[in-house]
Amino acid sequence: MLRKRTGRPRRQSKKDTGFTLLLLSNSEKKPVQFQLPPLFFKGLLTVTLLLIGLTGYGLISAALLKPVARQKVVLEQEIAQLRAEQDKIRSENQNLRAYSAQQDKEMQNLQEVSAEIKNNIENLQGRDSEIRGKLGLPAESSASGSGETAQVETQASETPVGEAKTTEDLQPLMLGDAGESDIYDTTAGTPAENILQRESNIQLSVLMGARQRRNTMQLAAELEQSRAMLSEASDNYDQYEGVIRSQEFQEEQRRERATQRRQSIRAYALSFLGGRYVWGGENPYSGVDCSGFTRYILSHAGGVYINRTAAEQAQQGREVSIDKAKPGDLIFYSNGSRVNHVAMYIGDGRVVHASNERNGIMVSRWDYRTPVHIRNMIGE
């Protein structure tokens, strides 16, 4: 209960201004008296007004922030969606990189096959030239190429190995490992537009990759066909070389038989060294002249039959030079007007012949006299 003081009036001071609070004023006990200064009420009023203001500000703020909160939830959902799209893009990007690596490997394999085919073509061309040389065919015919080899070479040269699409064609469309901040870059458009653009690029990359895959498979099929044709041509050349080797073997055997034949003629002629010279004689066992000696040796040791006199023998056989002469060939000499002597070449620049009655059958240098003819009578 508040009441003003009663009693003797006294002069009030500034210190006594205020309100007095009496508790238990109606009781018999002495009431409890509190004096409240005006500043207390001012502070209480200020606090009350402050609380009212804060409450109003909170209510107003809540009303204003409610749309912001809803917008925040929408943005968080969009960010979550963009992150999911980003993960999808990265996954597809990794798939594209793996596909690109596979394409690189396939192209490398195709290039190796192409190089192998090129080497095989060069080898076949060399074998073709060698075989034609052995068969005596014109060299210019190999320029046009045999049918299969020329066809294989043409296909191999037309194969667009260097022009085939590589994974470099996909590089402008490949997605890098962009950071999370890149997905929110709005310089080229909104995040949603950026996502759609990247998905479009990925689809385009997949289409180009599928087309490149078809080109690679087609190129691989063409190279495999070229390899099969080269293999068939190589088999044909193996057959040709087998025939040539057979012919070469036969030719080698023939040359070996001819060499053995000439060595037999040489040995048989040397076996009569020291024999008698008899003019007009035909048997070295009893006596023989120069033409009779050569006629006897070639007929008995070589199975070659020639005329009787040196002049007649000089008209037979085939003319050869001294560097082409072989054992068993005949070298003829003249007295200036006609052939009057013949000797048999035995190799190493020497001849065996029935020289004269004093020397008999002997060995001399092939040019002990000036020769006029060197004739191959054996024909090998």
Side-chain angles (χ1 to χ4, degrees):
M1 176 178 176
L2 297 174
R3 68 177 183 178
K4 294 185 178 181
R5 292 182 181 181
T6 59
R8 186 177 58 186
R10 61 178 180 179
R11 187 177 181 179
Q12 295 183 351
S13 63
K14 293 183 179 180
K15 186 176 181 181
D16 294 334
T17 59
F19 295 91
T20 302
L21 178 63
L22 296 177
L23 299 178
L24 302 177
S25 61
N26 296 327
S27 67
E28 296 179 354
K29 295 181 180 182
K30 184 179 180 179
V32 179
Q33 182 178 354
F34 295 95
Q35 186 176 2
L36 299 176
L39 183 60
F40 171 78
F41 293 99
K42 292 181 180 179
L44 181 61
L45 180 60
T46 302
V47 171
T48 303
L49 293 176
L50 181 60
L51 291 176
I52 294 173
L54 291 176
T55 303
Y57 178 77
L59 294 175
I60 295 173
S61 299
L64 294 177
L65 291 177
K66 190 174 182 180
V68 176
R70 287 196 298 267
Q71 186 178 4
K72 179 182 178 182
V73 172
V74 174
L75 289 177
E76 289 177 350
Q77 293 177 353
E78 290 182 356
I79 291 174
Q81 182 181 1
L82 292 178
R83 289 181 185 275
E85 294 291 343
Q86 184 185 29
D87 293 338
K88 180 181 177 181
I89 290 174
R90 286 182 177 176
S91 177
E92 293 178 348
N93 189 22
Q94 291 177 355
N95 294 335
L96 285 178
R97 288 182 182 276
Y99 179 78
S100 175
Q102 180 182 1
Q103 289 293 306
D104 287 340
K105 185 176 181 180
E106 291 181 358
M107 289 304 302
Q108 183 178 2
N109 293 336
L110 291 179
Q111 289 175 355
E112 292 176 356
V113 172
S114 178
E116 178 185 355
I117 291 177
K118 182 180 179 181
N119 292 334
N120 290 339
I121 290 176
E122 293 176 354
N123 294 335
L124 287 179
Q125 287 178 340
R127 294 174 65 182
D128 180 81
S129 300
E130 182 180 357
I131 289 174
R132 289 181 178 276
K134 291 180 179 179
L135 296 178
L137 297 178
E140 58 270 16
S141 62
S142 63
S144 60
S146 59
E148 295 177 351
T149 305
Q151 183 179 2
V152 171
E153 182 179 2
T154 302
Q155 289 189 358
S157 62
E158 293 177 353
T159 301
V161 175
E163 299 177 0
K165 291 183 178 297
T166 63
T167 55
E168 293 179 358
D169 298 332
L170 294 177
Q171 293 302 323
L173 301 175
M174 294 293 290
L175 296 177
D177 293 333
E180 296 183 358
S181 60
D182 295 341
I183 199 168
Y184 309 116
D185 185 10
T186 59
T187 56
T190 63
E193 291 176 349
N194 294 334
I195 290 294
L196 293 176
Q197 181 64 34
R198 293 195 178 189
E199 287 184 349
S200 176
N201 291 340
I202 290 175
Q203 293 176 359
L204 181 59
S205 299
V206 172
L207 291 176
M208 291 186 64
R211 180 178 298 177
Q212 181 184 358
R213 178 67 177 176
R214 289 194 297 270
N215 293 339
T216 302
M217 294 177 63
Q218 181 181 0
L219 179 59
E222 293 177 356
L223 290 177
E224 189 62 30
Q225 182 180 4
S226 299
R227 177 186 286 180
M229 295 180 65
L230 283 174
S231 178
E232 182 179 358
S234 179
D235 293 340
N236 293 336
Y237 279 115
D238 289 340
Q239 295 178 2
Y240 298 154
E241 290 182 345
V243 173
I244 291 175
R245 282 195 296 269
S246 177
Q247 295 177 350
E248 290 178 347
F249 177 74
Q250 295 176 3
E251 181 65 20
E252 183 65 25
Q253 285 188 326
R254 186 188 66 78
R255 288 194 296 266
E256 184 176 354
R257 288 194 299 269
T259 301
Q260 292 177 353
R261 182 183 181 189
R262 287 181 178 274
Q263 293 300 326
S264 297
I265 294 173
R266 175 180 181 275
Y268 191 63
L270 292 176
S271 67
F272 294 101
L273 285 177
R276 292 176 56 209
Y277 176 89
V278 175
W279 187 83
E282 298 182 357
N283 192 332
Y285 290 100
S286 57
V288 68
D289 61 9
C290 64
S291 58
F293 176 73
T294 55
R295 185 169 186 267
Y296 185 90
I297 297 299
L298 288 179
S299 62
H300 286 77
V304 178
Y305 299 92
I306 58 178
N307 294 327
R308 175 63 182 86
T309 65
E312 292 173 343
Q313 292 176 5
Q315 303 301 319
Q316 294 181 268
R318 176 171 57 87
E319 188 79 17
V320 296
S321 60
I322 186 59
D323 57 337
K324 300 292 184 180
K326 299 177 181 179
D329 292 343
L330 301 183
I331 300 180
F332 298 90
Y333 307 89
S334 70
N335 59 3
S337 59
R338 63 183 181 87
V339 174
N340 65 349
H341 189 65
V342 60
M344 179 174 290
Y345 187 72
I346 58 175
D348 298 330
R350 298 182 302 162
V351 294
V352 58
H353 60 118
S355 177
N356 49 43
E357 294 180 352
R358 182 183 62 184
N359 297 323
I361 299 175
M362 61 178 295
V363 174
S364 303
R365 286 179 51 85
W366 74 279
D367 57 352
Y368 82 100
R369 291 175 59 184
T370 302
V372 293
H373 295 290
I374 303 176
R375 311 290 289 185
N376 179 354
M377 300 296 182
I378 301 175
E380 296 177 344

